[in-house]
Amino acid sequence: MKAPADLLLLPQWVVPVESAGTDDPARACGALAEHAVVVRGGEILDVLPADAAQARYDAAQTVDLPNHALIPGLVNLHGHAAMSLLRGFADDQPLMTWLNEHIWPAEKKHVSEAFVRDGTLLAAAEMLAGGITTCNDMYFFPQTAGEAFLQAGMRATLGIIVLEFPSAYASDADDYLAKGLAMRDELKDEPLLSFTFAPHAPYTIADATFGRINTLAEQLSLPIHIHIHETANEVRDSLKQYGMRPLERLAGLGLLGPNFIGVHAIHVNDAEIDLLAQNGCHVAHCPTAGLKLGSGIAPVNRFMAAGVNFGFGTDGPASNNRLDLVAEMRLASLLAKGASGDAAALPAAAALKAATLDAACALNLDSRIGSIVPGKRADLVAVDLRALSSQPVFDPVSHLVYVAGREHVTHVWVDGKLKLNDRRLVDLDTDDLNARAHYWRTKLTA
Ligand SMILES: [Zn+2]
């Protein structure tokens, strides 16, 4: 008798990123031709040859994906989703001018629960349509953002954001922490949501606040998600104010460890890379944002050599201006090669792993997501490689990084539920999202 299943996916290739029961990296990163993925109860039940799957399972629904590669959902390791409403609002400015003269004043005036709800929904729609099934978010009103991610049916890690200065959301560091902890209490039983402490950056957080965050993060076993060493100025200012570089200061405060996710890490020296590696820290590499704000290029090849785990982030849509992790994979790989003079730097399989399993590992979610192996949640993305511009296909993994674009994503499942069906969003009303974006554009420019 056949075993029951909810879903039988029959792609041309399954790219599992890791394989249960084998240490063979070629098999893990390479594509399995004529294999099926079986889903039951939102979980990946089996990955096996297609013939055997059809003989063994009786699925309520079978989806043929004859020209597609099926990959794990992409994990956006750093973003500010609601800032989608500020996309293109202030471009071509260096980081501190951009923040001080444009972004922070606009946020002070306009950010509200309604702004965060509409902006997060808009970003979730963009991310899901581009194959991103999980994002690590840092923004004001995280409870509202969490509710929007749940409405979109997307997996998200919500930052308990902390700053020393007041905003429409909170008055001081204590207030940010109190509100963030209450948010976590409210949402902690939602299976699609997880949490980090998200102190904005070393230059916006005092030592005493870092101390409190560190204690709380240990008590609650939550990651700490923070921008670090983004610009050369940040490092210079820290030397002036504290007599030490930001990472040195954070190390002294006891913050570095396997629960630490440093965003950007562009201006880091070899000793700091070793420090990150020795402490098991993770990096969210945001190549487009680093280039667009003129901050620089993170030394990814040196992270790899030292054994620092990293994933990719889009950063906010105001500093990118796309939420496109397929593009970040390609750019990261090309930059790693160009910056190091080594064409073997960040090869395609490593780039795909960074965008999925390694990012999941940074979020401490790798036991649940990040690869296509039995027992993990079914966050799955189908990429159509049928286009003439994709022909011929010798190696689908190479094509996923160097050829495909997010427009080739056709189907997305989160937790086994269909979110994108033949390029159409299932749960979100795109006309409504357009109308909301237009409303905010008018308001922001009034
Ligand atoms: Zn950021």
Side-chain angles (χ1 to χ4, degrees):
M1 206 173 100
K2 289 186 180 182
D6 297 331
L7 194 56
L8 179 69
L9 303 180
L10 297 169
Q12 186 166 6
W13 302 278
V14 177
V15 183
V17 174
E18 72 172 334
S19 286
T22 174
D23 292 329
D24 177 2
R27 184 163 184 268
C29 292
L32 306 172
E34 290 169 25
H35 274 58
V37 174
V38 186
V39 176
R40 187 166 68 200
E43 186 180 292
I44 297 165
L45 183 64
D46 210 343
V47 181
L48 71 173
D51 290 352
Q54 282 165 306
R56 198 175 303 169
Y57 293 101
D58 184 12
Q61 191 192 6
T62 297
V63 180
D64 284 307
L65 300 161
N67 306 287
H68 302 65
L70 191 74
I71 62 172
L74 301 173
V75 178
N76 185 356
L77 192 53
H78 174 68
H80 315 276
M83 291 180 85
S84 60
L85 294 175
L86 296 170
R87 191 199 317 268
F89 176 73
D91 289 328
D92 308 326
Q93 314 267 347
L95 176 69
M96 291 323 293
T97 314
W98 179 76
L99 279 177
N100 284 319
E101 292 176 23
H102 301 278
I103 296 301
W104 283 344
E107 286 183 333
K108 201 168 171 204
K109 196 161 163 208
H110 294 288
V111 169
S112 62
E113 287 185 50
F115 179 99
V116 170
R117 182 195 61 228
D118 292 352
T120 305
L121 282 174
L122 182 65
E126 181 183 358
M127 287 193 272
L128 285 170
I132 298 171
T133 53
T134 300
C135 80
N136 183 27
D137 200 49
M138 177 197 287
Y139 207 61
F140 306 106
F141 299 101
Q143 173 141 357
T144 305
E147 288 158 3
F149 284 122
L150 289 176
Q151 187 183 333
M154 185 170 168
R155 203 178 293 280
T157 301
L158 304 171
I160 296 171
I161 188 172
V162 186
L163 289 155
E164 299 289 349
F165 57 78
S167 65
Y169 168 60
S171 57
D172 58 18
D174 285 348
D175 194 27
Y176 281 96
L177 277 169
K179 284 182 170 144
L181 290 167
M183 173 279 292
R184 178 183 167 272
D185 280 346
E186 190 78 23
L187 296 175
K188 68 178 185 311
D189 296 327
E190 291 290 346
L192 292 182
L193 299 180
S194 52
F195 307 88
T196 67
F197 282 96
H200 169 262
Y203 58 89
T204 48
I205 302 289
D207 285 1
T209 304
F210 274 131
R212 283 198 63 196
I213 289 170
N214 202 23
T215 306
L216 287 164
E218 274 174 24
Q219 281 170 1
L220 300 174
S221 297
L222 294 185
I224 295 174
H225 168 208
I226 178 171
H227 299 97
I228 51 154
H229 290 227
E230 182 172 3
T231 63
N233 267 341
E234 176 193 333
V235 178
R236 265 198 299 273
D237 289 349
S238 175
L239 280 166
K240 238 183 270 169
Q241 191 177 350
Y242 298 99
M244 56 188 126
R245 293 163 66 90
L247 270 172
E248 197 182 350
R249 179 173 156 233
L250 298 188
L253 292 167
L255 259 79
L256 302 189
N259 67 343
F260 185 90
I261 306 167
V263 179
H264 298 301
I266 292 170
H267 297 273
V268 284
N269 58 34
D270 285 342
E272 286 160 346
I273 293 172
D274 287 342
L275 188 68
L276 291 171
Q278 283 155 13
N279 284 284
C281 299
H282 313 273
V283 167
H285 174 35
C286 307
T288 300
L291 290 180
K292 184 162 183 288
L293 291 168
S295 306
I297 301 167
V300 162
N301 52 319
R302 289 194 280 142
F303 294 156
M304 289 181 85
V308 177
N309 180 57
F310 63 91
F312 306 129
T314 56
D315 210 347
S319 63
N320 185 307
N321 300 353
R322 307 156 63 105
L323 303 178
D324 181 352
L325 218 61
V326 180
E328 299 298 333
M329 269 197 297
R330 178 166 190 269
L331 179 61
S333 182
L334 298 183
L335 282 176
K337 298 171 199 311
S340 66
D342 177 6
L346 195 54
L352 183 63
K353 183 162 169 276
T356 53
L357 187 60
D358 295 345
C361 174
L363 294 171
N364 200 19
L365 292 175
D366 50 317
S367 63
R368 293 172 59 75
I369 58 166
S371 58
I372 304 179
V373 297
K376 288 202 182 184
R377 304 307 297 172
D379 289 7
L380 301 165
V381 170
V383 184
D384 189 350
L385 297 178
R386 171 180 38 186
L388 274 183
S389 57
S390 304
Q391 300 309 315
V393 183
F394 297 104
D395 174 0
V397 175
S398 159
H399 267 37
L400 286 164
V401 175
Y402 300 127
V403 176
R406 65 174 169 181
E407 67 276 14
H408 298 127
V409 170
T410 59
H411 294 73
V412 173
W413 291 264
V414 177
D415 225 36
K417 295 194 180 68
L418 186 64
K419 297 292 151 190
L420 188 77
N421 186 13
D422 206 7
R423 296 191 170 86
R424 281 189 301 277
L425 288 163
V426 174
D427 299 324
L428 294 169
D429 178 345
T430 49
D431 290 339
D432 177 55
L433 292 175
N434 262 318
R436 292 184 197 212
H438 181 75
Y439 164 81
W440 286 105
R441 193 199 75 89
T442 308
K443 211 169 149 89
L444 279 151
T445 48

